[in-house]
Amino acid sequence: MGTKVKFMPLCGVHSEAPLCYLLQLDDFTFLLDCGWNDSFDTNLLKPLQSVVKDIDAVLISHPDTAHLGALPYAYGKLDLKAPVYCTRPVHKLGILYMYDHVLARLAVSKFNTFTLDDIDGVFEKSIVDLKYSQHLQLTGKGEGITITAYAAGHLLGGTVWKITKDTEDIIYAVDYHHRKERHLSGTVLETFVRPAVLITDAYNALSNQAFKKERDHLFIDSIMSTLRGNGSVLIPVETAGRVLELILYLEQHWATERLAYPLVFLTHVSYHTIDTAKSSLEWMSDTISKTFDTSRDNAFEVKYINLKHSREEFDSMLTKGPQVVLASTASLEAGFARDLFVEWAGDPKNLVLFTERGPAGTLARVLQAEPAPKAVKVVMSKKVRLEGEELQAYEEEQRKLKGLDAAGTSPATDTVMENAGEDGPERTDGGTQSAEAAEGQVLDQGLRAPPNVNGGVNRLRETFCDGFTPPAKAVAPMFPDDRVMTDWDEYGEVINPDDYKAPEADHMEVGSPSAANKDANGGQGVDEGQEEMLDEGPTKVVMEEITVQVKSKLQYVDFEGRSDGRSMKTILAHVAPLKMILVHGSAEATEHLRQYCIRNICPHVHAPRIGEWVEVSSDTNVFKVRLTEKLMTEVIFKKLGDYEVAWVDGVVGKPEEDDVLPLWPCNDGTVEDEPAPQKAHKAIFIGEVRLADFKQLLTAKGVQVRASKDRTT
């Protein structure tokens, strides 16, 4: 029988919400993308939470928040355990996206929805990297399924997934782009023909883009006119996505025109975004790759763009004149872009230049409305250190939680000291020793003394050990001394050199805490500002709602890097799938594309709701056939390129134990009422036949060939 294919959306249908879908092939379940929004609303993940135990593998198409933002939460909090498949750039850029989100929020709030450890847990342990066109055959429960990644355009490492089982080809293609850009080549989606199922988005079904030259001219003219008018330009961008295209364009323009205006890329991971781009040239356009191969010039060796990863670094530039700042995040829900918008929006000389549509409900989307608002309310938050009475109250609460009194000692300590007498604990030689000496002795025996909050000598803390009873005369609990014997030679203790090896370079590339800002800080892990953020002592969050008067200019220039409605329809008509599923797009865009595809492409077009299963199995049946040994002895193979092909004439026998059908040769007496064997076969063409090659072959055989206007005869 054929493969049973079912599909259910968990989020991201009939809306522009993040992408998250279930695809089931027989009893194997894929999670297609695992996106989240910039507000990290856990209510969006309730459908995912209910099915997390059924997921066998996760396929990620792009590195941004809308496609993989929920991975740290799903693995850290929902206990998702399936392997994650993506390309190497999606892996490396994805962790930068998530680090930037966490660090931006920790700077102003007590963000604990997920942690840096949750990010490391999934990106270091669960991800399997694939190359483009690499066929990966799954094993175990996924036996017989092959997954392949192809270029999608849009973002670096972006993927169109092809999932194959038996004769079923399922294509998952969202947020693709057919145009070649400065840093990316176009998608290869149009090279697929007649797949069984195509899952694609309707995000841009109702939009038509301007020509590239017109768009670029508008973008750079808007920036230069603002700078010449003594204003600054804020470009809200995502951490490591479309900003790479903008960086290349601005860097080239600044170099060509020799401009002196400051150009800044401001995110918490700006250094690593550029480093990742510099090491991923093979995933980019042919122009960039060939330039590096011939001249060793790396397109992302930026000279005019200043990379800053903290507000302190940015402020230290002491730039009072016009400047251009690309700052995260594009939604203006958090990060440096939100802070700069609040500061710059009141100046009519400034420009806030959007290069992509903000997600629904975000500040960026509000500002992109027509007409633009003249004032917006913004909630700003910041963390401040506790001082005075608040600090004392906090310390008192912590002492109570630890069971300490106001002097910083525990009741158990007082009991020990009373038993020791005024002159200190008793000694076996009849003398006494001081409390400090007694404390040091006990510490040597394995106890740990907590720091004294009042600055005095550390006191003992009561310690319990299951199954151990201290002697009756013991001043404090005494524990067995389990010493590990080590080998020594004439040079000292014998060690294992592997214990002292530095972390592998590949591990340091992915942006873990041990690798963050390594280059910028002399090999240190997290930079000083981020260390302070992660270990800042007692603080509180102060929130304030302010009204921002929007006097600056607001403009939108489309640098999203997605195919528009006209191009989408052309590509879909060329692919011509047997069945289609539409996701990720407004209700109007989804219905518009569904009606168009029903009329012009295929009659089976589905647009399911959240939680609704749709079955898109093929109408054909597929059977497994075993060629018998006797049949194979009669087969004559012909060489065809790297393969050998042959005609097979046979009769299908009765099913065997594993439902495999045996194929017997004709007239061997095994099957009753056998048909007569076929003596001749019609000629067929296998592969791509070029008329020029065919002409040479016929000429070599002595056949006259002449060319006509429309064909070779």
Side-chain angles (χ1 to χ4, degrees):
M1 299 296 291
T3 303
K4 187 176 183 180
V5 183
K6 297 175 64 179
F7 178 87
M8 182 178 74
L10 302 177
C11 185
V13 289
H14 299 278
S15 70
E16 297 175 3
L19 299 85
C20 190
Y21 316 105
L22 284 185
L23 176 66
Q24 194 175 85
L25 276 67
D26 292 333
D27 60 346
F28 192 90
T29 303
F30 286 100
L31 180 66
L32 304 178
D33 283 328
C34 188
W36 214 353
N37 57 12
D38 282 1
S39 63
F40 297 110
D41 181 8
T42 55
N43 291 324
L44 281 176
L45 303 185
K46 287 182 178 179
L48 173 61
Q49 185 175 2
S50 63
V51 299
V52 70
K53 294 182 179 179
D54 302 326
I55 297 171
D56 299 303
V58 183
L59 303 183
I60 300 298
S61 61
H62 296 281
D64 59 341
T65 312
H67 295 84
L68 58 69
L71 278 181
Y73 187 86
Y75 280 79
K77 304 296 191 281
L78 302 183
D79 202 28
L80 178 60
K81 297 184 182 300
V84 181
Y85 299 95
C86 63
T87 60
R88 182 64 173 166
V90 169
H91 180 180
K92 295 168 71 175
L93 297 179
I95 195 171
L96 298 182
Y97 263 96
M98 303 318 298
Y99 260 73
D100 195 29
H101 276 302
V102 172
L103 294 174
R105 285 157 177 78
L106 285 178
V108 296
S109 67
K110 301 287 187 180
F111 182 78
N112 58 3
T113 306
F114 58 91
T115 65
L116 298 178
D117 289 337
D118 292 331
I119 299 173
D120 293 338
V122 58
F123 281 92
E124 293 183 3
K125 299 176 182 178
S126 300
I127 288 188
V128 180
D129 294 339
L130 297 180
K131 299 178 181 178
Y132 283 151
S133 301
Q134 175 186 348
H135 303 294
L136 179 66
Q137 295 180 351
L138 303 184
T139 58
K141 189 178 178 181
E143 186 73 33
I145 299 176
T146 302
I147 59 175
T148 312
Y150 295 94
H154 183 49
L155 299 181
L156 182 61
T159 304
V160 170
W161 285 104
K162 179 182 178 182
I163 308 165
T164 303
K165 185 175 183 182
D166 297 330
T167 59
E168 302 283 347
D169 285 342
I170 297 100
I171 307 297
Y172 176 62
V174 293
D175 293 330
Y176 54 86
H177 193 207
H178 65 288
R179 289 182 178 176
K180 182 178 180 180
E181 299 183 281
R182 291 176 177 83
H183 80 297
L184 291 178
S185 298
T187 183
V188 299
L189 175 59
E190 57 189 6
T191 63
F192 299 109
V193 179
R194 303 292 288 174
V197 182
L198 172 64
I199 305 168
T200 190
D201 69 287
Y203 188 79
N204 261 0
L206 295 177
S207 57
N208 292 313
Q209 298 170 346
F211 292 109
K212 181 180 177 181
K213 289 185 178 180
E214 295 178 3
R215 179 202 65 183
D216 292 352
H217 184 73
L218 175 62
F219 176 76
I220 207 67
D221 274 5
S222 301
I223 292 175
M224 296 310 301
S225 61
T226 301
L227 295 175
R228 295 187 185 108
N230 205 32
S232 293
V233 181
L234 170 63
I235 307 178
V237 295
E238 290 296 343
T239 304
R242 297 297 302 170
V243 66
L244 298 178
E245 182 76 6
L246 300 178
I247 285 174
L248 272 188
Y249 186 24
L250 292 173
E251 176 78 11
Q252 292 170 1
H253 185 77
W254 253 243
T256 302
E257 301 296 329
R258 300 185 180 276
L259 300 177
Y261 298 108
L263 186 57
V264 183
F265 180 34
L266 177 61
T267 75
H268 288 282
V269 292
S270 57
Y271 297 104
H272 294 285
T273 298
I274 298 300
D275 285 344
T276 301
K278 287 193 292 187
S279 62
S280 303
L281 300 185
E282 70 273 18
W283 298 84
M284 299 185 186
S285 66
D286 295 340
T287 303
I288 288 181
S289 300
K290 290 178 180 178
T291 300
F292 181 77
D293 291 339
T294 56
S295 63
R296 313 309 291 176
D297 289 336
N298 193 314
F300 284 93
E301 286 287 354
V302 293
K303 300 177 181 178
Y304 291 88
I305 295 181
N306 298 288
L307 306 178
K308 304 298 179 184
H309 65 248
S310 69
R311 188 59 192 268
E312 290 74 17
E313 279 193 358
F314 176 71
D315 293 338
S316 67
M317 294 175 60
L318 300 177
T319 302
K320 296 183 180 180
Q323 57 187 315
V324 178
V325 181
L326 298 94
S328 62
T329 59
S331 65
L332 294 180
E333 288 299 293
F336 301 119
R338 185 181 180 91
D339 297 337
L340 291 177
F341 167 75
V342 172
E343 296 176 18
W344 292 4
D347 190 341
K349 293 182 293 184
N350 294 336
L351 168 66
V352 180
L353 180 57
F354 297 99
T355 57
E356 52 189 287
R357 281 170 287 178
T362 62
L363 177 58
R365 191 61 166 262
V366 172
L367 295 171
Q368 292 171 13
E370 292 290 346
K374 296 183 178 180
V376 291
K377 290 185 177 180
V378 180
V379 176
M380 300 297 293
S381 62
K382 63 179 180 179
K383 286 199 295 188
V384 296
R385 294 183 180 274
L386 297 182
E387 297 178 349
E389 295 181 357
E390 290 180 328
L391 180 59
Q392 293 178 1
Y394 171 81
E395 292 176 343
E396 179 65 26
E397 182 181 357
Q398 294 301 308
R399 282 194 292 269
K400 290 180 180 179
L401 293 175
K402 296 177 181 179
L404 302 176
D405 58 21
T409 61
S410 67
T413 302
D414 295 337
T415 302
V416 171
M417 298 309 294
E418 287 174 5
N419 293 336
E422 294 182 0
D423 295 328
E426 231 178 279
R427 293 175 53 175
T428 56
D429 59 1
T432 60
Q433 59 183 6
S434 65
E436 290 85 348
E439 179 184 11
Q441 176 184 353
V442 177
L443 289 176
D444 288 341
Q445 294 162 356
L447 297 179
R448 178 178 298 172
N452 188 306
V453 294
N454 293 322
V457 179
N458 288 340
R459 303 298 182 183
L460 300 176
R461 181 170 59 187
E462 186 174 7
T463 306
F464 297 93
C465 180
D466 292 340
F468 172 73
T469 303
K473 295 183 179 181
V475 173
M478 307 283 288
F479 293 90
D481 183 14
D482 296 330
R483 297 187 180 182
V484 179
M485 302 304 293
T486 58
D487 296 330
W488 293 74
D489 58 19
E490 60 270 23
Y491 298 103
E493 182 181 350
V494 177
I495 64 171
N496 181 9
D498 293 338
D499 296 339
Y500 299 89
K501 282 185 177 180
E504 294 181 3
D506 187 56
H507 172 75
M508 300 296 289
E509 288 179 355
V510 297
S512 61
S514 59
N517 294 290
K518 176 177 180 293
D519 295 336
N521 295 280
Q524 296 298 319
V526 182
D527 66 87
E528 294 179 3
Q530 292 171 351
E531 279 182 352
E532 195 174 312
M533 188 188 309
L534 299 176
D535 186 18
E536 56 196 0
T539 59
K540 66 177 180 179
V541 177
V542 178
M543 303 182 70
E544 179 185 8
E545 183 179 77
I546 60 176
T547 300
V548 179
Q549 301 297 327
V550 184
K551 298 180 180 178
S552 64
K553 298 183 288 293
L554 303 174
Q555 189 170 0
Y556 170 68
V557 179
D558 187 357
F559 266 87
E560 288 183 342
R562 293 183 176 95
S563 295
D564 61 2
R566 180 176 59 252
S567 302
M568 289 169 62
K569 294 170 183 176
T570 302
I571 294 172
L572 294 178
H574 183 80
V575 175
L578 301 178
K579 295 182 180 181
M580 288 182 63
I581 298 176
L582 299 181
V583 298
H584 194 227
S586 65
E588 295 80 9
T590 301
E591 182 60 21
H592 169 81
L593 188 58
R594 190 180 76 87
Q595 294 295 339
Y596 175 85
C597 291
I598 290 175
R599 292 192 306 267
N600 301 284
I601 299 176
C602 71
H604 305 289
V605 183
H606 304 272
R609 302 281 177 176
I610 293 177
E612 176 187 352
W613 282 104
V614 294
E615 185 170 346
V616 286
S617 303
S618 175
D619 298 330
T620 59
N621 292 327
V622 178
F623 301 93
K624 293 182 180 179
V625 177
R626 180 178 61 85
L627 303 181
T628 60
E629 293 183 8
K630 189 169 184 179
L631 176 69
M632 293 301 296
T633 60
E634 301 179 2
V635 173
I636 301 175
F637 286 93
K638 297 283 188 179
K639 186 72 174 178
L640 180 65
D642 296 332
Y643 302 95
E644 291 184 347
V645 298
W647 282 102
V648 175
D649 293 319
V651 178
V652 176
K654 296 180 180 179
E656 299 177 347
E657 293 181 358
D658 53 359
D659 293 331
V660 177
L661 303 175
L663 189 64
W664 300 93
C666 299
N667 296 327
D668 69 342
T670 306
V671 181
E672 297 179 358
D673 300 328
E674 299 161 349
Q678 187 174 354
K679 298 298 183 181
H681 304 93
K682 292 183 178 180
I684 61 170
F685 292 108
I686 301 177
E688 296 183 1
V689 180
R690 297 179 57 191
L691 292 181
D693 296 338
F694 188 49
K695 177 182 177 181
Q696 291 180 1
L697 178 63
L698 294 177
T699 303
K701 297 293 184 179
V703 179
Q704 278 192 338
V705 180
R706 64 182 180 85
S708 64
K709 293 182 179 180
D710 55 347
R711 64 175 64 89
T712 298
T713 59

